[in-house]
Amino acid sequence: MTTAAALSPQRLGRIRSRLLEWYEEQGADFPWRDARNPYWALVAAVCSQQTQMSRVLPLWERWIEAFPTLEALAAADRAEVLRVWANAGYPRRALHLREAARRCLEEHEGRLPQDEQALLALPGVGPFTAAIVRCFGFGEDAAALDTNVARVVGRLLHGDLQPVRETPAAALREGARLLLRPGTAARWNPALMDYGARVCLPRPRCAACVVASWCVARPRFAAGERAEPLRAQPPFEGSDRQWRGRILAALREAPRSLPEERLIAELAESAGPRSPSPGRLRALLDELSDEGFVWRRGGRCGLGAPPAGEATGADGADSASLPAASDRRSDDG
């Protein structure tokens, strides 16, 4: 395995030029990449966590339309942000964004901080998200390292076929930093992200690769070696995550709060023999309540925190019921 520091200036320059040229011709165009808007960049980075880019843009547009500024987001209640997040999956990210906005108003004079450590102190912000805000929001030369970038860097510089598993994290960070040409971060970061998503895939398209001549992993792939797949996630169908999502979807789409027992009964009925037990559904409702996604009071429950004056009558006092199972999608955090 080579080290990033062993790159000659000539090889480094050619790699940079080829990938930037590829990006100019083939790269995707997203509104937050050239807007110099730190808030837009934050929302984009959080939306893209564990989410394919094909799903990020509609979510980002919906979010920015509903909460165009940090102030608007900080003023929103939990139910509102969860409804706007809708079925995008991992809804904890929505609550993190709202809490980050509130922290900015309380601690940073209503603005996102530019300092890396201050960004990392915000809820839901890790090194990748902080780099995206610094790069697209403030124009800094911050190297962003996600799974796609790690794949490009680890193969290109170190010859590892599955860099997320095989290449030391420090070596990936060093490589990402070294490859970045000063003054180009707003183009370079998306170039690597797009390249990893479209060319340097888990099963790479080496014949279409514009930097194959300098890629340390290329001879291994040419000899027939294959990247060992990362461990697959547990099946989604029937999982707690799926049923947590169905509970949230039901509460999100109901016109008002629901009796807990009706919610549990209708969810169980909607899936027929594949439904979880009422005890399991109650346990999941307990979890969602403890985590701040759901409120419960007087035998009723709703999304987020209870609104002022929320009725807590008997089960029969409210005719609201769940939408048909076929109308709901079931992602959860």
Side-chain angles (χ1 to χ4, degrees):
M1 184 174 78
T2 63
T3 64
L7 277 174
S8 70
Q10 294 79 12
R11 180 183 170 209
L12 178 59
R14 287 168 182 158
I15 288 171
R16 287 168 167 171
S17 296
R18 289 291 183 89
L19 287 172
L20 286 172
E21 288 168 6
W22 177 90
Y23 177 66
E24 293 301 323
E25 295 178 0
Q26 305 290 336
D29 184 24
F30 295 106
W32 57 85
R33 288 184 172 178
D34 57 7
R36 284 292 179 92
N37 185 316
Y39 174 59
W40 283 18
L42 172 70
V43 174
V46 173
C47 287
S48 66
Q49 295 167 5
Q50 298 174 291
T51 300
Q52 293 180 345
M53 287 305 295
S54 61
R55 295 179 62 192
V56 169
L57 184 57
L59 172 59
W60 182 89
E61 291 176 334
R62 185 168 71 243
W63 188 272
I64 294 299
E65 181 179 1
F67 314 116
T69 63
L70 283 168
E71 292 81 1
L73 177 55
D77 61 32
R78 279 181 288 179
E80 187 178 2
V81 299
L82 290 170
R83 286 193 173 94
V84 172
W85 193 263
N87 60 356
Y90 301 100
R92 189 171 287 104
R93 293 177 290 173
L95 299 187
H96 282 161
L97 276 170
R98 173 178 175 267
E99 180 58 25
R102 293 187 163 202
R103 294 268 191 93
C104 287
L105 264 62
E106 294 168 1
E107 302 172 9
H108 301 290
E109 300 180 344
R111 295 187 293 270
L112 271 164
Q114 187 170 351
D115 177 72
E116 181 180 20
Q117 294 305 311
L119 283 168
L120 291 172
L122 296 175
V125 175
F128 170 77
T129 298
I132 291 297
V133 173
R134 293 170 60 210
C135 166
F136 295 134
F138 295 105
E140 289 191 26
D141 279 328
L145 185 65
D146 68 357
T147 302
N148 289 328
V149 175
R151 196 160 51 242
V152 176
V153 172
R155 288 172 175 173
L156 187 60
L157 302 184
H158 300 286
D160 294 324
L161 305 190
Q162 188 60 276
V164 171
R165 175 187 292 150
E166 301 167 10
T167 312
L172 291 172
R173 290 194 296 270
E174 178 203 9
R177 178 192 59 78
L178 181 66
L179 284 171
L180 174 61
R181 177 183 287 165
T184 67
R187 295 164 57 224
W188 180 255
N189 282 324
L192 286 193
M193 288 187 280
D194 291 359
Y195 205 76
R198 296 169 57 186
V199 179
C200 197
L201 297 158
R203 292 186 177 182
R205 299 173 55 221
C206 293
C209 179
V210 299
V211 291
S213 299
W214 303 286
C215 179
V216 182
R218 172 59 177 146
R220 297 182 62 188
F221 283 118
E225 291 190 64
R226 296 290 180 267
E228 289 294 325
L230 296 172
R231 186 179 64 174
Q233 288 186 338
F236 179 70
E237 189 66 30
S239 66
D240 283 357
R241 182 184 164 213
Q242 182 186 44
W243 283 99
R244 283 166 56 99
R246 290 189 175 184
I247 292 171
L248 289 178
L251 295 176
R252 187 171 62 240
E253 296 169 18
R256 58 186 67 85
S257 66
L258 293 171
E260 288 185 20
E261 291 307 311
R262 180 185 300 171
L263 169 68
I264 290 169
E266 293 192 18
L267 279 171
E269 182 181 353
S270 71
R274 297 179 293 110
S275 65
S277 68
R280 181 182 169 196
L281 289 170
R282 289 191 189 94
L284 295 177
L285 190 60
D286 288 341
E287 288 180 6
L288 291 168
S289 177
D290 291 343
E291 294 167 18
F293 292 112
V294 170
W295 64 264
R296 303 164 78 187
R297 191 169 62 194
R300 304 182 73 82
C301 58
L303 201 63
E310 171 65 35
T312 58
D315 285 1
D318 187 356
S319 61
S321 60
L322 278 65
S326 60
D327 295 334
R328 298 195 301 271
R329 194 174 180 277
S330 309
D331 284 343
D332 173 51

